[in-house]
Amino acid sequence: MRQRLVVVGNGMAGARTVEEILRRGGAEQFETTVFGAEPYGNYNRILLSGVLAGAEDEAGIFLNGLPWYAENGVTLRAGIRVTSIDRAARQVRAADGSATGYDKLIIATGSRPFVPDIAGAREPRRGFHQGVFCFRTIDDTRRMVRYARDHEHVAVVGGGLLGLEAARGLQAHGLRVTVLHAAGHLMNQQLDAQAGGILRRSVEQLGIAVELNARTAAILGTDAVTGVRLTGGRDLPCDMVVIAAGVRPDVELAAASGLPVGCGVLVDDQLRAAADVYAVGECAEHRGRVYGVVAPLWEQARVLADHITGADPAAAYTGSRVATKLKVAGVDVSSMGVVAPAGDDEFVVYAEPGRGVYKSAVIRAGRLVGATLVGDVTRSAFLVQAFDRDVPLPADRIDLFFDRGDGGGAALDPAQLADDAQICNCNGVSKGTLAQAVGDGANTVTAVMERTRAGKGCGSCKSLVGEIVGWAAGGAATVDPSDSWYVPGIPLAKPELMAAIRERRLTSVSAVFAALAPDGAEDAKSKMGLASLLRMMWPNDYVDERDARFINDRVHANIQRDGTFSVVPQLKGGCTTPAELRRIADVAEKYQVPLVKLTGGQRIDLLGVRKEDLPGVWADLGLPSGHAYAKSFRTVKTCVGADFCRYGVGDSTALGIAIESRFQGLEGPAKMKLAVSGCPRNCAESYVKDVGVVAVDGGRWEIYVGGAAGAHVRQGDLLATVDSPDAVLTLTGRFLQFYRENANWLERTYAFVPRLGIERLRAVLVDDSDGMAARLDAAVAESVAAYRDPWLEGGRPATDGQFRPSLPLIDLPLVPAR
Amino acid sequence: MTAQPATRPEGRTGARPAGAHRLGPAAAIPPGEGRAYAVAGTQVAVFRLRDGRLHALGAVCPHAGGPLADGQIDGGVLVCPLHQHVFELATGCSRTGQPPVPVYPVTVDGTGELVVEMPA
């Protein structure tokens, strides 16, 4: 027998709670009745300002139209206000005289417009004066649009978000608009005085007059509005008034039925107000807080649904960290946490009043507890993440406000983007496709990226993808727990994974899956990461299961679009000899190689080699592999240095060759590109390499780490200045080993270095603060000693058919011969 | 590298007689890997899972002609090496929005040799 569930309130919180309950099989458990005071389905109240401004049409803002209720077996009593709750008889009485019994009751009455006591605003007989409006419902909006047609000048009482939105919307109907704000600056709930001042300039530039410290005392005119009187006696002529002075939780019904009420209906962590009676949304007060933005409502709805359906009886709502990003009267505003500093909080501010830009951050004990952005919100995604995840902040506080190249700053606002705007340029994924994936139920960034393959190329669109997923999910995108796992198939972060591998002495990828994966199941996408990790941990004892290798690592060449391969022989430091060049040329002719190309890493690439020809090519080349295909040490670019160049102050060529000889083929979480320059003119581009060395006068060498010049451009941070090539070799090896042990899979040094911070790296690697330097040096030495040129497998294949063609009936190459 | 769909010939397609085709010893396929065979004018990729199970599918990725035999597999799916499109080994259906890959019954006979059943 199904229980009777009654929901009082058909707004965003009430309807969303019903949806979440239905999603958890609520239809079998409950016979649901929803009472809505308005005669409509549930619509998105936030979009009313768009409807007022004529930018949205009414039909588009409905979340649950009337048919939705019938299709889901929910009885909707639209336009019927609930008048009382009889908790003894467990019945709800409505204005139409009906009485409906309940086993579980949810109160979602939302909030009411707050109307300050203004003389003349209300008519005893007809409610509001005919020229005075509130701005809360669709009907309010319709009446305002109709009334605005034949009126000239509107006074908006209230300079908060709602008031400014109403002002901007009415302006679109050709009205002169004056905002009357009682406080000292606009949006004083979210902004401090300086930010409010900058917002005011922007609003005034839109042609909206703003009067501050203006308290409205009375409405003038009986039949038609002729003006408003401010306290202090001044009169402002106008012929229409909109009251948007904030909202208060609608608790009248709850209070009348004896439920505990403070500012809102008092609820516990299960959103319970009393036995079998719950409250959710703007009418609820949880741990002293009432939430007026959407994201917390979704969280409350999920927890309440989990609890009431028994899907997760222990589900608890512990409050929300509120971050809002919105457009106020055309001005971008993003605000989170506290507005102003208290006690000895650190307060960082950047302001450009001329451009209407203001940024402030409140930092307490090294953590971001509040931030405000006006005019330029490009950093809001970064700040919201820092605020939500409580992560350590960049040492240079300016990095809070400006992206100085350490992450693809998302300069675009998701809402503004066209549906067909291409977000991921590597795999051609549009905003519409991302939104569709969210609509189909993928509500974490990871799930959306998995399904659409956005962000799976160079990764520089990841933060924008994250913003769009957050926007598409109505601010309720959750963080996928697997984000912190080293590989998707094993639910462990890197430190725990490495500890488990050592503890149980797991030396093969299949052993790791069997021991640590859910039900011991293999996962194709985790094999490459595990193979690289195990080879680093067990240089000599690693059991090399070839299926764990990606094809490039199986055949030691880079697969091309037609299934042929590119072959890059090792030319240490970018140096070669006539004899080597002749052999390269002879091989290119003998095997009809379609393209011979110089690479970005100062080497020569033979493109379009058939898989079955690889062993012959390697043998005829007589050169070792250049490792241009693996997640490993790639190359050391050099300039000719002191031996040739008149400016050279160090023998960069010799040092580059020495570094490449020592660390050739060293595997890692991602590729490692190095360079050595013979002087600060930096012709080998050392400043933008994973490890970059620059000779400086006096026989010394600067070592930079975390640089990049590919999908992502970043100047490396100076790790140390040393006074001998040997010291460079030691510190380079130590850094590479530390990176191999601590970076996430596919995390390049340009993300790893700023994540840990250069101070931490200097302490560990240069000052040996953690006493691990010796171990790191020994570990990398062990890997160096275990190195073996993979191209030797040409003579003795590691598996049957290692070089057997995979498209036997196609005459390769298909790539063009240039 | 943007992936334009390659107008890829299926390969030298001769007659397609139906029925069983013998492809040589199953042991020739290393555990967890795949190898490609030309079977009466059709390219077939045969995968031998680490638990010994066998799957035979079309050898050309419908997305951009990638060599599926070079892909990595686990107990359930195959990942194309070119653009990481995912196909279910048992059904050939794609999990990343691509057209499905044909699937062919494959067994090992008494002598340990692979036998693939080609459709009419």
Side-chain angles (χ1 to χ4, degrees), chain A residues 330-374:
Chain A
V331 176
D332 282 319
V333 173
S334 170
S335 91
M336 60 203 79
V338 301
V339 174
D344 52 13
D345 289 348
E346 192 185 335
F347 189 46
V348 187
V349 180
Y350 171 87
E352 252 186 271
R355 215 161 48 87
V357 168
Y358 173 85
K359 308 186 182 197
S360 76
V362 181
I363 297 167
R364 188 173 299 153
R367 290 293 191 268
L368 188 68
V369 291
T372 307
L373 302 175
V374 175

Side-chain angles (χ1 to χ4, degrees), chain A residues 561-563 807 810 812 814, chain B residues 5-11 60-61 64-66 82:
Chain A
R561 64 195 305 272
D562 65 350
L807 294 169
I810 296 179
L812 294 180
L814 292 176
Chain B
T7 50
R8 161 81 42 165
E10 261 305 312
V60 181
C61 180
L82 292 194

Side-chain angles (χ1 to χ4, degrees), chain A residues 500-649:
Chain A
I501 287 172
R502 268 200 203 91
E503 226 170 82
R504 307 187 199 194
R505 212 173 147 64
L506 306 169
T507 54
S508 74
V509 169
S510 58
V512 171
F513 281 130
L516 304 175
D519 329 320
E522 290 181 305
D523 172 55
K525 293 198 168 186
S526 303
K527 286 186 170 184
M528 192 178 174
L530 290 176
S532 163
L533 180 67
L534 290 172
R535 181 182 292 284
M536 180 265 292
M537 292 177 71
W538 312 105
N540 299 308
D541 305 329
Y542 173 57
V543 175
D544 184 7
E545 295 167 341
R546 305 299 288 212
D547 67 303
R549 292 167 172 247
F550 180 59
I551 181 65
N552 290 1
D553 302 309
R554 289 183 197 171
V555 297
H556 317 301
N558 202 336
I559 191 167
Q560 303 298 296
R561 64 195 305 272
D562 65 350
T564 61
F565 291 84
S566 98
V567 172
V568 181
Q570 183 180 64
L571 300 181
K572 290 180 183 167
C575 306
T576 184
T577 63
E580 286 177 354
L581 288 175
R582 279 198 197 88
R583 291 207 302 275
I584 291 172
D586 294 344
V587 160
E589 279 177 352
K590 177 178 175 187
Y591 293 92
Q592 298 127 15
V593 172
L595 174 63
V596 180
K597 181 153 191 331
L598 295 183
T599 72
Q602 296 183 341
R603 301 185 300 179
I604 297 174
D605 192 349
L606 303 174
L607 292 124
V609 176
R610 285 182 290 270
K611 194 200 285 186
E612 58 271 25
D613 290 341
L614 289 173
V617 165
W618 298 340
D620 294 356
L621 280 173
L623 285 165
S625 165
H627 298 285
Y629 47 81
K631 301 295 180 193
S632 67
F633 182 99
R634 288 294 179 82
T635 167
V636 185
K637 294 177 67 172
T638 67
C639 70
V640 293
D643 276 5
F644 294 85
C645 177
R646 57 197 159 82
Y647 296 125
V649 295

